Amino acid sequence: MTEASLISSYDALLADLDGVVYAGPNAIPGAVESLERLADIEVALAYITNNASRSAEQVAAHLRELGAPATAAQVFGSAFAGAELLATLVPAGSTVLVTGSQTLVDQVKAQGLVPVTSAEPTPDAVIQGFDPNLGWKDLAEAAYAVAGGAVWVATNTDLSIPQLRGIAPGNGSLVAAVTAATGSTPAVAGKPEAALFTTAAKHLGVSRPLVVGDRLDTDILGGNRARMDTALVLTGVDTVRTALAAVAGQRPKYLLADLEGLYEPYPEISHSDGVYRCGASSAMVDDGTVHLTGDLANLDTWRAACGAWWSANPDPATAALPALQSAGSPVLADSAGR
């Protein structure tokens, strides 16, 4: 009997974008085809993004240009989740100072709230999302409103965003400026909080989604906080080593090379007498060192390593990569395996 694929156990895929579907201007090899196959097995698809400056249709249009299946209804951004979260905190008709993009203004209006542009008189709430045109005066208005007692929601708290010229301040850096001025902290809708994931699942009408992402500190942490199963793909930011080193809340249920792994049976990780086995690979922890048996280029070796190390260190205070040995020799940082 043919073993079932990993994705066949789920009714939806909640996919991150950058590092999962595309990298820079191009689709990741195999990603588009993997996403297209979901319809054939009746698994729903949603895209989860912290971007609060682009509308759902703009994101969907970009995905379609890459060949991926996408409609606006499948895109869940932090502007949408932030406005929904805000609507649970203030009554309909409340005034909201929108510090962000026109997309965020539109989402606030859609929730029956009234956008304003000034902190005078003090509005009922402030919602803060990224927009490259924001300046000091915008942040000052937000600070005045928050200090005046307005409810405060941030769409997301990403400290940085990648740009063509390098890494630039993200919404989290702008939120931090208002926090520094007021001593207050906002409610947050985007990753790594649970709201963005639970919002998507609610609107899709699904009960068993799988979250897939390339970042432990946003995608995996957020999915875990939403009490959903999570899969880390190794096509973006994080690697097998950062996964092995991760704190408990950022540990994924699955390690996949890419989205094509969704259509393969996920190998069982078994253990006996402290030895964790996955396929032909095994791992055990002895005196703080993880001893590996198996090809370091084989993902099963790192799956076994994670099983052994995570069991020995169920709730570490900080992320820490253990010492690694294979065939009695230290594993160097540039050894095979992402």
Side-chain angles (χ1 to χ4, degrees):
M1 184 176 69
T2 303
E3 289 186 77
S5 65
L6 171 61
I7 194 58
S8 65
S9 299
Y10 299 91
D11 59 2
L13 184 72
L14 308 185
D16 177 48
L17 294 176
D18 196 2
V20 176
V21 180
Y22 53 76
N26 301 313
I28 290 171
V32 168
E33 294 79 5
S34 297
L35 296 171
E36 290 177 328
R37 291 176 65 182
L38 294 172
D40 297 334
I41 57 174
E42 298 182 345
V43 172
L45 170 63
Y47 299 101
I48 310 298
T49 174
N50 264 358
N51 191 310
S53 61
R54 292 195 296 169
S55 70
E57 180 51 46
Q58 288 172 321
V59 174
H62 178 219
L63 288 167
R64 291 194 298 269
E65 289 174 359
L66 296 175
T71 66
Q74 291 175 295
V75 177
F76 295 88
S78 61
F80 179 83
E84 279 211 345
L85 174 61
L86 182 57
T88 68
L89 302 177
V90 295
S94 295
T95 54
V96 180
L97 175 64
V98 179
T99 307
S101 66
Q102 183 59 46
T103 294
L104 188 54
V105 172
D106 294 340
Q107 292 294 344
V108 167
K109 289 180 179 178
Q111 293 296 325
L113 303 172
V114 181
V116 297
T117 58
S118 173
E120 191 175 19
T122 301
D124 300 304
V126 175
I127 188 166
Q128 188 171 353
F130 181 76
D131 186 274
N133 297 314
L134 290 174
W136 179 87
K137 290 183 178 180
D138 301 295
L139 299 181
E141 290 297 319
Y144 300 148
V146 170
V151 172
W152 185 22
V153 167
T155 60
N156 65 292
T157 52
D158 297 50
L159 290 173
S160 62
I161 54 173
Q163 298 289 289
L164 287 175
R165 295 170 58 192
I167 301 300
N171 194 53
S173 296
L174 305 182
V175 168
V178 178
T179 292
T182 64
S184 299
T185 55
V188 181
K191 297 181 284 186
E193 303 304 324
L196 190 50
F197 299 94
T198 56
T199 294
K202 179 184 70 174
H203 283 272
L204 287 179
V206 298
S207 60
R208 186 167 168 73
L210 174 66
V211 173
V212 60
D214 72 307
R215 293 187 64 123
L216 297 169
D217 60 351
T218 55
D219 307 315
I220 304 306
L221 177 57
N224 288 343
R225 284 176 169 173
R227 300 185 182 277
M228 297 173 182
D229 286 352
T230 55
L232 178 72
V233 291
L234 304 176
T235 48
V237 171
D238 275 299
T239 70
V240 289
R241 286 175 171 77
T242 57
L244 180 62
V247 295
Q250 297 182 21
R251 293 171 175 175
K253 184 176 178 69
Y254 307 111
L255 288 175
L256 302 176
D258 50 40
L259 288 180
E260 293 177 290
L262 294 170
Y263 298 94
E264 301 169 1
Y266 196 78
E268 178 185 2
I269 302 173
S270 61
H271 63 93
S272 177
D273 297 326
V275 178
Y276 283 71
R277 294 180 174 84
C278 184
S281 302
S282 66
M284 64 175 293
V285 177
D286 182 33
D287 195 24
T289 296
V290 180
H291 297 266
L292 307 172
T293 301
D295 185 354
L296 295 180
N298 188 328
L299 196 49
D300 285 349
T301 302
W302 297 97
R303 290 164 173 154
C306 287
W309 182 247
W310 293 352
S311 176
N313 296 270
D315 192 19
T318 59
L321 181 67
L324 303 170
Q325 283 203 342
S326 178
S329 299
V331 176
L332 302 178
D334 60 353
S335 297
R338 267 191 52 77

